[in-house]
């Protein structure tokens, strides 16, 4: 919702104004491609500011013997260098959760918005027709609130029924 987007924008930076931010959200697309049985996830974000492409390396969720868990069941996630759309060089880690149906990623080392970590969870709904990305900004400054934004994308060519079905008896 717009109010949730406004809260996210206020918490990230006072410089973002609601009008342009709303326009940016409305024109956002995201393309994804998996390879190597889900080990790699390519994400291409497209919006009014430009294009952000990144390749994430998922660790620890596909039972591959090269990524065995630690004794406590946790995994040491692989960090990959990523360049943000703002030109920052940061590091990212990613892994699969919820039985391999949701992809988690975290981007560390951002100095924008006062510094912090971006955490995202991506998954499908409506038989794969709706792609959801839950994004949270966690500021380095513990006195600041976390910011949350949920993106919902309709798959190209998909139709989404909104309303109620009439009984067909």
């Amino acid at each position: 919702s717009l109010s949730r987007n406004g809260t996210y924008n206020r918490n990230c930076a006072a410089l973002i104004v609601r009008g342009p931010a709303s326009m940016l959200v409305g024109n956002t697309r995201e393309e994804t491609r998996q390879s190597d049985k889900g080990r790699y996830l390519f994400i291409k974000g497209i919006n009014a500011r430009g294009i952000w492409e990144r390749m994430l390396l998922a660790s620890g969720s596909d039972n591959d013997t090269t990524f065995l868990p630690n004794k406590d069941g946790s995994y040491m996630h692989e960090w990959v260098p990523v360049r943000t759309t703002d030109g920052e060089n940061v590091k990212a880690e990613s892994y699969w959760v919820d039985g391999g149906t949701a992809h988690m990623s975290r981007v560390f080392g951002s100095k924008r918005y006062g510094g912090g970590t971006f955490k995202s969870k991506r998954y499908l709904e409506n038989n794969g027709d709706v792609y959801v990305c839950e994004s949270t900004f966690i500021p380095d400054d513990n006195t600041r609130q976390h910011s949350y934004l949920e993106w919902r994308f309709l798959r190209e060519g998909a139709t989404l029924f909104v309303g109620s079905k009439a009984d067909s008896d």
Side-chain angles (χ1 to χ4, degrees):
S1 74
L2 185 56
S3 63
R4 194 176 350 184
N5 295 348
T7 301
Y8 181 84
N9 293 335
R10 274 194 309 278
N11 289 342
C12 278
L15 300 176
I16 298 177
V17 293
R18 189 176 199 149
S22 298
M23 196 170 79
L24 180 73
V25 169
N27 293 322
T28 298
R29 293 181 51 197
E30 196 162 276
E31 299 173 13
T32 61
R33 272 194 315 269
Q34 289 184 42
S35 60
D36 193 14
K37 299 179 183 175
R39 169 77 66 211
Y40 295 96
L41 181 65
F42 172 78
I43 304 170
K44 181 179 183 179
I46 304 166
N47 63 41
R49 293 188 59 208
I51 297 173
W52 182 27
E53 295 182 351
R54 60 249 190 233
M55 177 72 78
L56 301 176
L57 170 64
S59 56
S61 61
D62 60 359
N63 299 319
D64 185 341
T65 56
T66 61
F67 286 95
L68 292 174
N70 298 325
K71 289 180 183 179
D72 65 359
S74 67
Y75 288 86
M76 181 64 80
H77 301 298
E78 296 288 319
W79 286 23
V80 294
V82 174
R83 187 171 181 90
T84 70
T85 191
D86 297 313
E88 278 190 296
N89 292 316
V90 294
K91 293 187 189 275
E93 69 177 21
S94 67
Y95 47 96
W96 292 95
V97 296
D98 299 336
T101 62
H103 186 270
M104 298 289 297
S105 63
R106 291 190 288 188
V107 175
F108 301 94
S110 176
K111 301 297 180 218
R112 304 260 315 163
Y113 314 115
T117 299
F118 290 91
K119 183 170 98 173
S120 297
K121 182 177 185 179
R122 293 174 169 82
Y123 54 93
L124 299 174
E125 290 183 342
N126 284 5
N127 297 318
D129 285 344
V130 176
Y131 167 69
V132 181
C133 179
E134 299 175 9
S135 185
T136 304
F137 177 71
I138 304 163
D140 289 338
D141 180 350
N142 293 344
T143 65
R144 291 181 48 210
Q145 287 184 325
H146 293 192
S147 303
Y148 176 83
L149 179 63
E150 184 176 289
W151 303 85
R152 293 183 166 272
F153 300 93
L154 185 62
R155 182 178 48 81
E156 288 184 5
T159 57
L160 185 62
F161 177 77
V162 180
S164 61
K165 291 183 179 181
D167 289 336
S168 58
D169 293 328

